[in-house]
Amino acid sequence: MDPTYSPEAEAYREKVQAFLAEKLPSNWNGLGGLEGDDITDFVTAWRKTLYEANYLAPGWPSEYGGAGLTATEQVILAEEFTRAGVPSGGPNDVFGIQMLGNTLLMWGTEEQKSHYIPRLLAGEDTWCQGYSEPDAGSDLGNVGLRAELDGDEWVLNGQKIWTSAGHLADHIFTLARSDPDSPKHKGISFLLVPMDQPGIEVRPIKMISGESEFNEVFYTDARCPKENVVGGVNNGWAVAMSLLGFERGEAAATGPIRYQTELDRLIEMARERGLTDDPVIRQRLAWCHSKVQIMKFLGQRTLTQFLAGHHPGPDGAISKLYWSEYHRVVTELGVDILGADALYIEGRPPSSSFQTDDPGAANTSGSWVNTFLNARAGTIYAGSSQIQRNIIGEMILQLPKEPKPA
Ligand SMILES: Cc1cc2nc3c(=O)[nH]c(=O)nc-3n(C[C@H](O)[C@H](O)[C@H](O)COP(=O)(O)OP(=O)(O)OC[C@H]3O[C@@H](n4cnc5c(N)ncnc54)[C@H](O)[C@@H]3O)c2cc1C
């Protein structure tokens, strides 16, 4: 574990700090300091700033609209953005740029790259991820959405579920069974499907927080052109797995910064409410502190490997399990510190339902209760905790494999 930065890397850090100083308002205190429409307005304008600086996909080559940064520079950029409390893109970029864009660079045809990549960066298309189905979540190889060729088009019939941002997106990248006679993980294709057509129906699902962030998506004779298959017909499993692997190495660096910022806010809230002398609260805060420290060390280990050119393998499961289970507990403490005030929701909710509230957010019930409710989902999406434990047991600790049903 030695994530040291060279003098050249530190010089790049100063460049990023100068960029932030130039582009952010002088009284900037993090996205959490903004309310209502000001949040959307800031994020829209900030995304444009990043687009113009080629910072939306900083690691991509310049021919595809990236900044061609080295791995170290990408990590530094992400660290400095996180410290400044600004997003690294717009709300859809995790699906469009991070997941699909990276996958197209790896598997896409030249036509697919030249059509979709500029549109992704310009924010012209919005995407969602159509993987999960009622009978295919943890067991994703069981996808049953049918894709059949009809002349120059694929015809799709079936259902997806838990599709985040499905109600906002105009395109869905989806896994469909194109050869029903092949074994489970074969015969699947990765398709790019426009959503603005009569064959697609999106039904929002209400979450525990009251928001409707994810959806069911029904396909009834939905269509997409034959050439919208990525990585070859019946080769979708390999494409789907590389998409899931595009967890950025820099998340190892930024996660602990975000959790530390959140914990600092929590300690401040305990202070504001006169609870820092309560021995049980002190004990629970100390537990959280120790977990964030461990996350920092875990992050530094991943970062050392990333900077040495290795991409996270199965040990990505350790940090996924760690942050998601930690976040459930720390947000419970937040609600306990609020006490009866947690029953009355007031104040700005987090701008995103994923992970921590924005840096600079006030210690309100609107912030902590919503984050507490959303934290439950963290142990399910991107692979549930049970699945992460299976991966750690089988692939890292080399324990005997879980028995398969006959
Ligand atoms: C907030 C949120 C957003 C999401 N967004 C998207 C999205 O945009 N696109 C998308 O395609 N999907 C999305 N998902 C779906 C997510 O990927 C699945 O919920 C997840 O993979 C689990 O699948 P499942 O819900 O079908 O549960 P199941 O797989 O049915 O699991 C049910 C329970 O059984 C356990 N279990 C299952 N198999 C095993 C096993 N082999 N060993 C031990 N325990 C096991 C699980 O851990 C879980 O506790 C989202 C989910 C959430 C919560």
Side-chain angles (χ1 to χ4, degrees), residues 99 103 106-107 129-131 140-141 143 173-176 185 188-191 230-232 235-246:
M99 293 187 186
T103 303
M106 188 171 184
W107 290 98
Q129 178 186 24
Y131 275 23
L140 187 59
V143 286
F173 51 86
T174 204
L175 289 183
H185 293 88
I188 294 173
S189 295
F190 185 106
L191 297 171
V230 179
N235 191 36
W237 187 251
V239 182
M241 289 304 105
S242 38
L243 183 142
L244 292 180
F246 286 123

Side-chain angles (χ1 to χ4, degrees), residues 32-78:
L34 303 181
E35 304 244 355
D37 289 345
D38 289 349
I39 302 175
T40 326
D41 292 348
F42 173 82
V43 174
T44 307
W46 182 244
R47 189 190 188 279
K48 188 163 176 279
T49 304
L50 298 182
Y51 176 58
E52 285 162 1
N54 291 341
Y55 274 167
L56 280 176
W60 290 3
S62 50
E63 61 178 300
Y64 290 115
L69 298 190
T70 63
T72 312
E73 288 168 339
Q74 289 174 63
V75 168
I76 290 173
L77 188 79

Side-chain angles (χ1 to χ4, degrees), residues 99 129-145 159-163 173-178 183-190 235-245 380-384 387 390-391 402 404:
M99 293 187 186
Q129 178 186 24
Y131 275 23
S132 305
E133 297 180 7
D135 285 329
S138 304
D139 188 9
L140 187 59
N142 206 34
V143 286
L145 172 70
Q159 184 197 346
K160 295 288 168 183
I161 195 168
W162 316 126
T163 314
F173 51 86
T174 204
L175 289 183
R177 190 155 297 283
S178 40
K184 207 168 167 185
H185 293 88
K186 308 229 165 95
I188 294 173
S189 295
F190 185 106
N235 191 36
W237 187 251
V239 182
M241 289 304 105
S242 38
L243 183 142
L244 292 180
I380 303 171
Y381 62 74
S384 70
I387 296 301
N390 281 351
I391 295 171
E402 117 180 272
K404 298 273 177 251

Side-chain angles (χ1 to χ4, degrees), residues 299-316:
Q300 286 183 357
R301 196 175 67 164
T302 309
L303 203 53
T304 308
Q305 293 167 350
F306 179 71
L307 295 178
H310 303 293
H311 281 279
D315 45 351

